[in-house]
Amino acid sequence: MNDWRIVERDRRDILGEGTLWSARENALFWVDILAPAVNRLSLADGRIDRWNMPEPIGWLVERAEGGFICGLQSGFAELTLDPFAIHLIADPEPHLPGSRMNDGKADASGHIWCGTMDMAEEADCGALYRLRPGFVWERMDTGYRVPNGPAFSPNGAWLYHSDTAQRTVYRFARDADGLGERKPFIRFKEAEGYPDGMTIDSEGHLWIAHWGGSRVSRFDPDGKLDLVVPLPARQITNVAFCGKNLDRLFATSALVGLDARAEDGALFEIAVDATGVQPGLYRG
């Protein structure tokens, strides 16, 4: 039996996403894409701080040298929170003003992988990008409606990335050029909702948030479902292992598009018997 708790009863996100564990700050960071805002939960004292952002933000990744890189509607940017400052790096899609960044993470090599999407969720114009050290970005894959993830196997051999709108999680073999062929790995049934954000644990199991499915699920390295954690929010959006031992699992959710209900948009902590993998730092 898995137990959960709502971290703060009176605080809700419109569209919680982009979970990030920071060992440096002993804190969980996450974004509210549509507020827009960046949130920080201190694991030392439970305090939640919030910074308003000038435009929609999909993700943030820690830099090895300090501060963050974040994905804004206008592109890649450098971000510091204290003092607050944003410096735009580059817009990979100036020809698509209706698009924004949605979800992203750094791998163990210090590269950021992230997706872009049509904000109206009507066109399959989204792409998967890699931002290498030195602010060098490359388009790695195309044809996404709502890209989510990514996640990386503990040995670095696989990259997982989803198209939420297609109810499909893909798996890529990683090679010297970056990625091999995109192959379907997990397909969600209609009753399960849609695959949203995800993370990997130390045994190579994939933990996936279910948008419209009120749950977090764990899949084994072969893509077989082996655990379901029901949650009271309808739109679960992302998950991250946190804490000194990476044994505390947190999940974000969203209330956008829903009638009012107490649990929608909440941040959850879930008691699970698993440990995560330390997230990568951007080395640039």
Side-chain angles (χ1 to χ4, degrees), residues 16 27 39 52 59 61 116 121 151 158 173 185:
N39 301 298
N52 294 326
W59 52 266
V61 165
T116 58
E121 300 183 22
W158 301 101
F185 183 60

Side-chain angles (χ1 to χ4, degrees), residues 41-55:
L41 168 67
S42 168
L43 267 61
D45 59 12
R47 172 177 167 174
I48 294 179
D49 295 299
R50 188 172 174 94
W51 292 264
N52 294 326
M53 300 295 291
E55 59 184 276

Side-chain angles (χ1 to χ4, degrees), residues 23-139:
R24 185 159 58 201
E25 297 202 27
N26 189 29
L28 167 70
F29 288 86
W30 76 100
V31 303
D32 185 336
I33 294 175
L34 298 180
V38 170
N39 301 298
R40 178 182 64 193
L41 168 67
S42 168
L43 267 61
D45 59 12
R47 172 177 167 174
I48 294 179
D49 295 299
R50 188 172 174 94
W51 292 264
N52 294 326
M53 300 295 291
E55 59 184 276
I57 175 171
W59 52 266
L60 71 164
V61 165
E62 279 193 299
R63 302 178 74 171
E65 65 183 43
F68 302 88
I69 301 295
C70 66
L72 301 174
Q73 182 175 1
S74 57
F76 299 106
E78 298 175 275
L79 171 67
T80 58
L81 297 176
D82 188 17
F84 186 85
I86 299 173
H87 301 286
L88 187 65
I89 297 168
D91 181 0
E93 297 179 343
H95 58 296
L96 296 172
S99 290
R100 65 166 174 83
M101 295 213 176
N102 192 51
D103 203 359
K105 292 188 179 76
D107 64 19
S109 300
H111 299 175
I112 294 174
W113 298 80
C114 60
T116 58
M117 61 173 282
D118 174 24
M119 286 192 69
E121 300 183 22
E122 296 175 350
D124 295 333
C125 61
L128 173 64
Y129 289 90
R130 176 174 63 180
L131 183 68
R132 295 192 283 118
F135 300 151
V136 177
W137 59 267
E138 306 161 279
R139 187 179 293 110

